[in-house]
Amino acid sequence: GIQVEQSPPDLILQEGANSTLRCNFSDSVNNLQWFHQNPWGQLINLFYIPSGTKQNGRLSATTVATERYSLLYISSSQTTDSGVYFCAVEDPKAAGNKLTFGGGTRVLVKP
Amino acid sequence: DTGVSQDPRHKITKRGQNVTFRCDPISEHNRLYWYRQTLGQGPEFLTYFQNEAQLEKSRLLSDRFSAERPKGSFSTLEIQRTEQGDSAMYLCASEGYRDYEQYFGPGTRLTVT
């Protein structure tokens, strides 16, 4: 099946700093989503971005499908940005629309 | 629209007991997914329904696991004869017919003692 790798695995930021999270995937995908998992375990949708660039406030994402990677940018980080960020993709060769998740990037923003 | 809901939020059970979890998807979403997440890992796919039909099951879903979605609305996930290795967060997600974005519920955290 499709493999998804995220880097870095851990990230410590000072409040106000900018950062880039990366997601590499091993094959072409139908769907790519970025999620933020809060300390209570809730997965919050950030972006649905199989290709192109999107922005939502201080967050933006870019997916280059032909090169099999996606980037999530966090600007002017805040302590509430702490948590785990997951990239998840849908394999067009698999039945159904199940998502395959990467291992996540654990972000800690210090005040 | 209140989003995907799951019940209970936490469950502690003794090894060998049976447990059942419920997921209520977003209204009119025809696809429903179950995932399992263990500590420090990303969620892993368990099974998927389109309306009331269970269309795919992962190898992770042993014979002790069963899922249903009667009438294509809410879904239940039952684990029989629980084992300590079943301790995890069980997540439910739903997706609309023309919407390829999955939305997740808050999860049910299972602890088997």
Side-chain angles (χ1 to χ4, degrees):
Chain A
I2 199 163
Q3 304 296 313
V4 183
E5 292 186 0
Q6 292 186 242
S7 60
D10 296 280
L11 192 58
I12 299 175
L13 300 170
Q14 204 63 40
E15 196 169 30
N18 302 330
S19 63
T20 301
L21 282 58
R22 186 176 180 102
C23 171
N24 291 334
F25 41 96
S26 59
D27 206 342
S28 58
V29 298
N30 277 348
N31 170 14
L32 188 145
Q33 290 185 244
W34 282 97
F35 297 92
H36 175 213
Q37 189 165 42
N38 67 21
W40 296 272
Q42 172 79 58
L43 281 167
I44 299 163
N45 291 43
L46 296 178
F47 295 101
Y48 167 74
I49 187 166
S51 63
T53 297
K54 290 186 177 180
Q55 179 154 9
N56 185 3
R58 295 181 296 102
L59 301 181
S60 64
T62 295
T63 297
V64 184
T66 53
E67 297 188 21
R68 301 179 185 168
Y69 73 89
S70 183
L71 302 174
L72 178 70
Y73 306 96
I74 306 173
S75 64
S76 305
S77 57
Q78 300 177 356
T79 56
T80 51
D81 294 332
S82 297
V84 185
Y85 290 80
F86 287 104
C87 164
V89 303
E90 179 196 323
D91 182 354
K93 300 184 182 68
N97 296 351
K98 65 182 179 184
L99 293 175
T100 299
F101 283 76
T105 293
R106 288 150 192 79
V107 174
L108 175 63
V109 182
K110 294 186 171 181
Chain B
D1 187 349
T2 58
V4 180
S5 62
Q6 293 187 245
D7 184 69
R9 296 290 305 276
H10 299 92
K11 179 71 177 178
I12 300 174
T13 191
K14 292 186 177 180
R15 189 178 57 180
Q17 298 296 304
N18 299 343
V19 294
T20 300
F21 310 141
R22 178 180 170 123
C23 170
D24 286 88
I26 293 171
S27 176
E28 298 182 357
H29 274 193
N30 63 328
R31 295 193 180 104
L32 186 149
Y33 302 81
W34 285 98
Y35 294 83
R36 181 170 72 184
Q37 184 178 23
T38 53
L39 202 60
Q41 306 295 317
E44 294 176 289
F45 169 79
L46 290 179
T47 190
Y48 145 64
F49 291 85
Q50 181 157 309
N51 300 312
E52 66 276 11
Q54 187 174 16
L55 297 184
E56 188 176 355
K57 293 192 286 186
S58 161
R59 291 172 301 170
L60 294 175
L61 217 63
S62 76
D63 291 345
R64 297 184 296 106
F65 289 69
S66 63
E68 294 183 343
R69 193 183 182 197
K71 303 178 183 177
S73 55
F74 70 92
S75 176
T76 58
L77 177 68
E78 181 184 14
I79 309 174
Q80 296 182 327
R81 304 181 303 281
T82 52
E83 301 174 355
Q84 286 189 321
D86 297 331
S87 295
M89 174 79 93
Y90 290 83
L91 295 162
C92 175
S94 72
E95 179 184 282
Y97 178 68
R98 295 185 189 278
D99 178 359
Y100 300 107
E101 189 170 356
Q102 292 186 26
Y103 299 87
F104 282 78
T108 295
R109 189 175 297 278
L110 173 67
T111 302
V112 182
T113 61

